[in-house]
Amino acid sequence: MRIFNTLTRKKEEFVPITPDEVKMYVCGPTVYNFFHIGNGRTFIIFDTIRRYLEYKGFKVTFIQNFTDIDDKMIKKANEEGTTVKEVGDKYIKEYYEDADKLQIQRATVNPRATEYIEEVVEFVKSLIDAGFAYEVNGDVYYSTKKFKEYGKLSGQNLDDLQAGARISVDERKNDPMDFAIWKTQKLGEPAWESPWGLGRPGWHIECSCMAKKLLGETIDIHAGGMDLVFPHHENEIAQSEALTGKQFANYWLHAAFVNIDNKKMSKSLNNFFTAREILDKYDADTVRFLMLSGHYRIQINFSQDLLESAKSSIERLYNCINNLENLIDEVKKQDMDEEEKLYLKSLDKYRDRFIEKMDDDFNTADAISVLFDLTKDINSNITIDSSKDLCEKSLLIVRELGKPLGMLQKSTKQDLETEIQAMVDKRQQARKDRDFALSDKIRDELKSRGIVLEDTPQGVRWKKVN
Ligand code: AMP
Ligand code: ZN
C-alpha cells in the first residue's frame, strides 16, 4: 500500500511500526459551533482511510481530539453567557449527532484538551529544561530557532517563513516565529495552575501532548486538513521531536479543502453550510459519495448541483442492491449451478481492482468507478432465472466494497419497512384523533401497495400480500 506523505512529498510504501497495527491521530474540531461540511470532508476522508486500513486487516487505534479551550471557545461562552466547559459539552454532543449520521465510526478515543492539562504542564516544563522554550511573564514560548529542522513539513526554512509571514512584532518573544505553548490568564478567562502562574495551553501543544499520551512517542499516521500543515503540524513536530529526540509521525496526510466559489469554506468567511443543514435534505451515502468521488488531495468546489449529481449517482448504485434484494425474495432456484459459480468467481476481479485503487494513496474516485463497473455487470447478468445463492453472494460483494467507503450498507427493504411502519403509526394516530377520513385514506394507500392491516389484541399488524 502506498501513501502520499506530506513530509517527504512522495508516495511511499506504508510500513507500520508494529506489524498489522496502525496508530493514527487526526486533528479534530474546535467545539464552539456545529461543524460545516468542509470539516465534514476531512472527518469523512480519515474515517474512510481508517475503515480501509481495517478492511485490510490492520488493528487501528484512532484518536481524534476535541479542542475545547481557545479564543473562539472563550468568545462563544461570553456571547452566550455560559462557561467554556458548557460550550464544549454542547458542541461535542452535536458533533456526535452529525458524525454518527454521516456514518463516521466513533474514534477509539476522543480526548478533550482540557482533560490533559497536567500532561501539557509537564511537556512545557521539559521543553524549558531542554532549552527549547522560555518563559516571559507567565507566557511560555517555543524557540523555533533552536529546532534545526523547523520548516521540514511545510518545506520552508525559517528565513523564508519569516519573510513571508505577516507576524506582528511582539516584544515578549525572542523571535517573531516563536509561538506560545502556555498562555497566561487574561481577565475572565478560564485558567489552570502551573509553575508560571494561572494560564492555559496553546493549541499546538495540546495535540503533541495527547498524541504522546495516547499513542506513544512515534506514531504511524498524523492527519488533518491541508490548512494544518503550517503552522499547526510544523509546530507539533518541533515540540514533540525536541522533547523525545524521535520522529513524531512517520506519515503525514492532509485532506484538501471544500471550497465555495473557489474560496475555502470557513466559519470566519461565513461561506459555509453546516453538516446538519445538508443532512436535513440529503442522506449520509450521498454526502459521502460527494466527498469521496474526488481524490482526497484535490479540492472540491461545493455546489447544489454537485450534491444533486451525487444523489443520483448513489441511487444508481442502490438500484443494484434493490434489484438483488427483490430477486432474493422472488427467484425460484436455490443453489448455484457450475456456470453461476464461474460467474461469481469472475466478480473477484472487481475486488482486486478496488483494492489496487485504494492501495494507491486511497484513490476513492477510481474505487467508486470500480463499484459502478461491478454493479453494471451484476445488473446485466443476474436475473429472475438466477439462483438465490448467487443473488445473495453478489449482494455481499457490493456491500463488502461499499463498507470501507462507509456507504451502500442500507437495505432498501429496511427503508420500506420503516416507511410502512410510519404510515401505520400515522393511521393509528388519525383514528385516535377521530380523523376517519385520514385513517381511511392511509389504509387505501397501503392497500394499493399490497399491504393489509389486521387489528390484533397486541395492536395493529401489517403484512404484504401479493
Ligand atoms: P477546525 O474546527 O477549524 O479546527 O477544523 C477541524 C478540521 O477540519 C481540521 O482538520 C481542518 O483542517 C479541517 N477543515 C477546516 N476547514 C476545512 C475545509 N473548508 N475543507 C476541508 N477541511 C477543512
Ligand atoms: Zn492538532
Side-chain angles (χ1 to χ4, degrees):
M1 185 166 40
R2 285 155 63 77
I3 302 186
F4 183 86
N5 189 351
T6 309
L7 188 62
T8 56
R9 281 161 272 283
K10 280 199 302 258
K11 273 190 207 172
E12 294 173 6
E13 190 57 34
F14 179 63
V15 185
I17 302 163
T18 310
D20 305 327
E21 285 182 23
V22 180
K23 298 185 185 74
M24 183 166 177
Y25 186 99
V26 180
C27 293
T30 308
V31 280
Y32 69 104
N33 219 326
F34 293 93
F35 68 83
H36 59 63
I37 51 158
N39 309 127
R41 182 183 191 206
T42 295
F43 306 146
I44 288 171
I45 284 168
F46 295 116
D47 173 62
T48 302
I49 289 177
R50 176 224 190 148
R51 282 168 175 268
Y52 184 66
L53 292 166
E54 287 174 344
Y55 174 73
K56 295 272 289 186
F58 291 102
K59 178 180 172 286
V60 183
T61 309
F62 187 94
I63 309 294
Q64 185 181 287
N65 71 293
F66 289 124
T67 297
D68 64 346
I69 175 75
D70 85 333
D71 291 346
K72 286 172 287 197
M73 297 282 305
I74 294 169
K75 186 162 170 262
K76 183 80 171 195
N78 289 339
E79 278 166 11
E80 297 200 342
T82 173
T83 61
V84 168
K85 165 92 171 58
E86 271 172 30
V87 171
D89 289 347
K90 171 168 167 40
Y91 289 106
I92 285 173
K93 195 172 140 274
E94 306 291 10
Y95 167 86
Y96 284 129
E97 186 173 330
D98 294 337
D100 288 349
K101 256 202 202 141
L102 283 170
Q103 284 147 213
I104 293 171
Q105 291 185 357
R106 293 269 176 127
T108 315
V109 185
N110 284 126
R112 287 177 73 150
T114 53
E115 288 167 0
Y116 289 80
I117 305 289
E118 268 177 39
E119 286 84 355
V120 168
V121 168
E122 277 310 305
F123 207 120
V124 173
K125 252 200 259 175
S126 308
L127 285 175
I128 296 177
D129 292 347
F132 283 96
Y134 54 93
E135 189 227 331
V136 186
N137 301 330
D139 286 321
V140 180
Y141 294 99
Y142 185 94
S143 191
T144 44
K145 281 220 166 73
K146 291 272 168 59
F147 185 65
K148 294 291 166 258
E149 292 177 289
Y150 194 83
K152 68 176 172 180
L153 182 71
S154 49
Q156 294 160 285
N157 63 36
L158 257 182
D159 293 336
D160 295 343
L161 283 168
Q162 207 159 324
R166 274 172 291 157
I167 297 173
S168 54
V169 179
D170 185 335
E171 312 263 274
R172 289 165 303 177
K173 296 191 204 175
N174 290 350
D175 187 285
M177 291 308 294
D178 293 354
F179 57 90
I181 53 179
W182 185 264
K183 297 178 175 183
T184 192
Q185 182 185 29
K186 292 201 197 100
L187 197 67
E189 286 185 358
W192 291 263
E193 297 278 356
S194 83
W196 320 285
L198 286 170
R200 63 181 163 100
W203 171 35
H204 316 300
I205 197 85
E206 297 165 3
C207 285
S208 277
C209 205
M210 292 184 279
K212 176 169 171 286
K213 175 85 185 168
L214 295 162
L215 294 171
E217 292 182 338
T218 302
I219 67 179
D220 294 298
I221 295 177
H222 197 314
M226 211 69 100
D227 52 339
L228 300 188
V229 175
F230 186 84
H232 185 54
H233 288 163
E234 196 74 73
N235 290 351
E236 281 190 42
I237 292 179
Q239 297 161 158
S240 296
E241 299 193 358
L243 184 86
T244 66
K246 295 181 188 146
Q247 173 137 340
F248 177 36
N250 289 336
Y251 302 87
W252 287 86
L253 273 66
H254 292 97
F257 298 144
V258 172
N259 292 337
I260 290 245
D261 296 331
N262 298 310
K263 280 198 207 76
K264 180 193 166 198
M265 182 179 287
S266 73
K267 284 168 196 159
S268 54
L269 289 177
N270 206 25
N271 62 347
F272 63 89
F273 292 97
T274 60
R276 178 92 31 123
E277 59 191 319
I278 298 296
L279 284 166
D280 276 347
K281 300 197 191 76
Y282 297 90
D283 65 4
D285 277 70
T286 300
V287 179
R288 291 186 76 109
F289 186 98
L290 168 70
M291 299 303 180
L292 299 174
S293 55
H295 191 272
Y296 76 90
R297 287 187 288 112
I298 295 174
Q299 302 189 354
I300 286 183
N301 210 18
F302 179 80
S303 68
Q304 189 68 27
D305 287 352
L306 214 57
L307 255 175
E308 282 298 324
S309 99
K311 184 171 177 234
S312 60
S313 300
I314 196 80
E315 275 167 7
R316 272 164 58 210
L317 293 174
Y318 265 109
N319 274 342
C320 173
I321 292 182
N322 194 9
N323 286 342
L324 288 172
E325 285 188 329
N326 288 335
L327 286 173
I328 288 168
D329 282 347
E330 291 162 11
V331 290
K332 303 269 180 299
K333 200 163 76 178
Q334 279 298 316
D335 300 322
M336 280 191 276
D337 56 29
E338 287 312 309
E339 199 186 327
E340 287 189 331
K341 281 182 190 160
L342 280 177
Y343 176 71
L344 183 67
K345 192 92 199 87
S346 79
L347 296 182
D348 282 351
K349 63 177 177 285
Y350 296 108
R351 181 189 291 109
D352 296 343
R353 274 174 50 203
F354 180 89
I355 291 174
E356 185 192 318
K357 301 300 179 194
M358 289 296 281
D359 273 357
D360 180 16
D361 193 29
F362 311 106
N363 192 339
T364 53
D366 284 2
I368 284 176
S369 53
V370 175
L371 284 176
F372 277 108
D373 294 343
L374 166 70
T375 50
K376 198 168 148 212
D377 193 330
I378 292 176
N379 287 343
S380 47
N381 284 291
I382 299 190
T383 68
I384 191 75
D385 297 320
S386 305
S387 67
K388 188 173 176 188
D389 200 17
L390 177 64
C391 297
E392 283 173 345
K393 295 212 161 93
S394 307
L395 178 57
L396 280 181
I397 299 180
V398 178
R399 294 226 196 270
E400 176 196 321
L401 301 187
K403 198 168 175 217
L405 306 177
M407 51 172 78
L408 302 179
Q409 302 306 297
K410 275 189 312 191
S411 163
T412 45
K413 288 177 119 176
Q414 261 165 19
D415 274 5
L416 187 70
E417 282 180 19
T418 335
E419 192 192 338
I420 290 170
Q421 193 55 50
M423 285 174 79
V424 172
D425 294 345
K426 196 168 158 200
R427 177 174 167 272
Q428 279 303 89
Q429 189 57 45
R431 281 171 61 170
K432 262 198 211 139
D433 299 343
R434 309 191 69 73
D435 184 350
F436 297 112
L438 179 62
S439 95
D440 288 350
K441 190 169 158 252
I442 297 173
R443 177 182 279 257
D444 291 346
E445 218 175 294
L446 286 166
K447 201 169 156 199
S448 72
R449 295 171 64 171
I451 309 288
V452 292
L453 302 177
E454 283 173 345
D455 282 306
T456 74
Q458 288 79 35
V460 180
R461 293 259 172 85
W462 61 269
K463 67 176 180 195
K464 196 164 173 22
V465 289
N466 287 317

